[in-house]
Amino acid sequence: MWQLVNEFQDIFSDRPGEIKEVEHQIRLTDDNSIRSKHVPHAMKEVIKEEVKEIEQLGVIERSNSPYASPLLIVKKKDGSNRPVVDFRRINEVTGFDADPMPSAEDIYARLSSSQYFSKMEFCKGYWQIPMAVEDRAKTAFSTPFRLYQSTRMPFCLQNACATYGRMMRLLLGGMQQTDNFVDDLISFTDGWMHVGFQKIK
């Protein structure tokens, strides 16, 4: 296992990569811009630190968009903060993407004869998908300091799951014993020496 990790250490990172073959688009049914107030002043310092970190990752950029959704700070189970943009008003006027989701029942059926399992997860998987340049302004959110917009696909957007599923089908195409359910990835085999997935070229 250590030999495998050392050989492919470039893919183990806490910084999200970027896929080139898929991008997220937002198709609105209403062209009127949507604006909301930013979060209360009490969260100002927390927001400052969180926004600084994700801006350094290249996930957001400064904006002059006519749109402005509110940024919320949500506490995670470990007590740390997670910045989440409240896109509910944008989602209400976003056309639905009917791309099918993976079926848990089908995945369980494929796993039934396997004995070895490897569960993996992409680092900040949604943030590895770029936002279409023409739609970035629609993701703008307000802070007490300035307006930002997303350069990568943010959480909580209508159709984000559909775009992510489309990306996973592309990445896993040709792999016989690897599957995913949203952002959880699993490889499975009935014997240690019979790893049955094919390498993507």
Side-chain angles (χ1 to χ4, degrees):
M1 182 62 72
W2 279 116
Q3 181 182 351
L4 187 68
V5 171
N6 285 329
E7 183 179 352
F8 297 99
Q9 59 183 292
D10 59 308
I11 69 170
F12 296 98
S13 171
D14 59 357
R15 296 182 64 87
E18 182 177 7
I19 190 169
K20 304 296 184 184
E21 293 81 4
V22 176
E23 65 178 12
H24 186 70
Q25 300 176 327
I26 301 175
R27 297 290 178 258
L28 300 181
T29 59
D30 187 334
D31 292 332
N32 294 316
S33 57
I34 294 171
R35 292 179 296 277
S36 302
K37 294 181 179 179
H38 58 72
V39 297
H41 179 80
M43 300 297 294
K44 184 176 180 179
E45 290 306 312
V46 174
I47 290 172
K48 184 177 182 180
E49 291 302 314
E50 295 294 331
V51 168
K52 179 181 178 182
E53 181 178 343
I54 57 178
E55 185 177 15
Q56 289 175 343
L57 289 173
V59 173
I60 60 173
E61 62 187 6
R62 298 181 184 189
S63 176
N64 58 1
S65 170
Y67 292 84
S69 295
L71 177 69
L72 308 177
I73 299 296
V74 178
K75 284 287 185 183
K76 299 187 340 187
K77 291 181 180 179
D78 62 4
S80 61
N81 297 307
R82 169 179 286 177
V84 178
V85 181
D86 183 357
F87 285 119
R88 283 179 291 183
R89 292 185 63 191
I90 288 287
N91 289 340
E92 287 173 359
V93 293
T94 299
F96 185 69
D97 184 342
D99 199 77
M101 292 283 291
S103 166
E105 289 77 11
D106 289 347
I107 295 172
Y108 288 142
R110 295 182 63 201
L111 298 176
S112 61
S113 62
S114 297
Q115 298 183 49
Y116 296 92
F117 306 89
S118 296
K119 181 179 178 293
M120 295 156 279
E121 189 172 347
F122 288 111
C123 172
K124 302 175 178 65
Y126 276 38
W127 286 355
Q128 298 201 35
I129 300 176
M131 277 298 308
V133 173
E134 64 273 17
D135 293 324
R136 290 180 181 179
K138 300 168 188 172
T139 69
F141 61 90
S142 56
T143 75
F145 316 101
R146 59 178 59 89
L147 198 65
Y148 291 90
Q149 63 189 29
S150 296
T151 60
R152 308 287 184 89
M153 184 176 73
F155 303 98
C156 304
L157 271 183
Q158 173 87 295
N159 303 324
C161 281
T163 299
Y164 195 89
R166 198 172 287 121
M167 177 198 74
M168 292 304 298
R169 279 197 301 276
L170 175 66
L171 291 180
L172 301 182
M175 291 188 172
Q176 302 302 312
Q177 291 173 244
T178 300
D179 219 324
N180 79 290
F181 189 78
V182 192
D183 60 348
D184 289 319
L185 185 69
I186 190 168
S187 289
F188 46 92
T189 180
D190 57 0
W192 184 250
M193 301 303 294
H194 298 90
V195 179
F197 55 80
Q198 303 171 9
K199 184 178 180 181
I200 299 179
K201 297 181 179 179

